[in-house]
Amino acid sequence: DQQVKQNSPSLSVQEGRISILNCDYTNSMFDYFLWYKKYPAEGPTFLISISSIKDKNEDGRFTVFLNKSAKHLSLHIVPSQPGDSAVYFCAASAMTAGNKLTFGGGTRVLVKP
Amino acid sequence: DVKVTQSSRYLVKRTGEKVFLECVQDMDHENMFWYRQDPGLGLRLIYFSYDVKMKEKGDIPEGYSVSREKKERFSLILESASTNQTSMYLCASSLGGRQETQYFGPGTRLLVL
């Protein structure tokens, strides 16, 4: 049973437009959430995170929104650039689980020029 | 910059062989992790370690073991490789504490014939 789900396996967006990636979770103990980006033949790299005490965190073109009541988070990329084409993973952790991260299945983003 | 290196990028082994995957980090990180990545399933945690000679099972430890004799090195061992262990294996490390970013190596793509 996947505790973190990314229901869209792929997303295609025009350069300059907004990319919205969604992630749902079931474990109410999760209190810290992260997004990672992965290019082919490379390891994932950290992108942005959010604590459950916040509902929004912004870093340049990347904004993560957290809706605790809906157990839902989203990543907005504005404006999208061709270099953003990658697989994006959301991940969650719970204080009771220490440093363990639970990952979603990933969303492949293609930004078209 | 944090550097996490993995001993092989690609590996082909036969069923029943013993397989060693090595991971080295150069930032004196306390925590090290082994994941496997499969399409649609995201990253799943196999084993992790918070300290030298210490190990804890992740979500899918069956068929694997690990060794951490030195702080910088974390090895994943497949005692008797099987075809269902064909996957991308990713090693990660983090400094310590709950909300520390995990840094990933480039991955080892293992094919078991």
Side-chain angles (χ1 to χ4, degrees), chain B residues 34-95:
Chain B
W34 274 107
Y35 295 89
R36 62 178 281 177
Q37 181 198 351
D38 299 289
L41 298 177
L43 280 69
R44 293 180 292 166
L45 183 64
I46 305 171
Y47 268 97
F48 59 106
S49 168
Y50 290 149
D51 203 351
V52 176
K53 295 195 187 294
M54 177 272 175
K55 60 185 178 184
E56 285 200 33
K57 293 180 180 179
D59 299 317
I60 50 164
E62 296 79 19
Y64 304 94
S65 62
V66 289
S67 171
R68 193 164 180 202
E69 295 296 319
K70 293 185 177 181
K71 190 175 187 180
E72 67 272 18
R73 190 179 296 269
F74 193 35
S75 302
L76 180 69
I77 303 150
L78 287 67
E79 294 290 341
S80 177
S82 63
T83 55
N84 63 13
Q85 292 178 310
T86 291
S87 187
M88 168 70 85
Y89 289 89
L90 291 158
C91 174
S93 71
S94 68
L95 184 60

Side-chain angles (χ1 to χ4, degrees), chain B residues 10-57:
Chain B
Y10 301 95
L11 216 47
V12 180
K13 295 292 180 181
R14 298 224 172 260
T15 302
E17 277 193 78
K18 191 168 186 175
V19 182
F20 292 88
L21 303 181
E22 297 244 308
C23 175
V24 178
Q25 50 93 4
D26 66 356
M27 284 302 291
D28 202 35
H29 282 177
E30 299 289 335
N31 307 320
M32 296 189 76
F33 308 84
W34 274 107
Y35 295 89
R36 62 178 281 177
Q37 181 198 351
D38 299 289
L41 298 177
L43 280 69
R44 293 180 292 166
L45 183 64
I46 305 171
Y47 268 97
F48 59 106
S49 168
Y50 290 149
D51 203 351
V52 176
K53 295 195 187 294
M54 177 272 175
K55 60 185 178 184
E56 285 200 33
K57 293 180 180 179

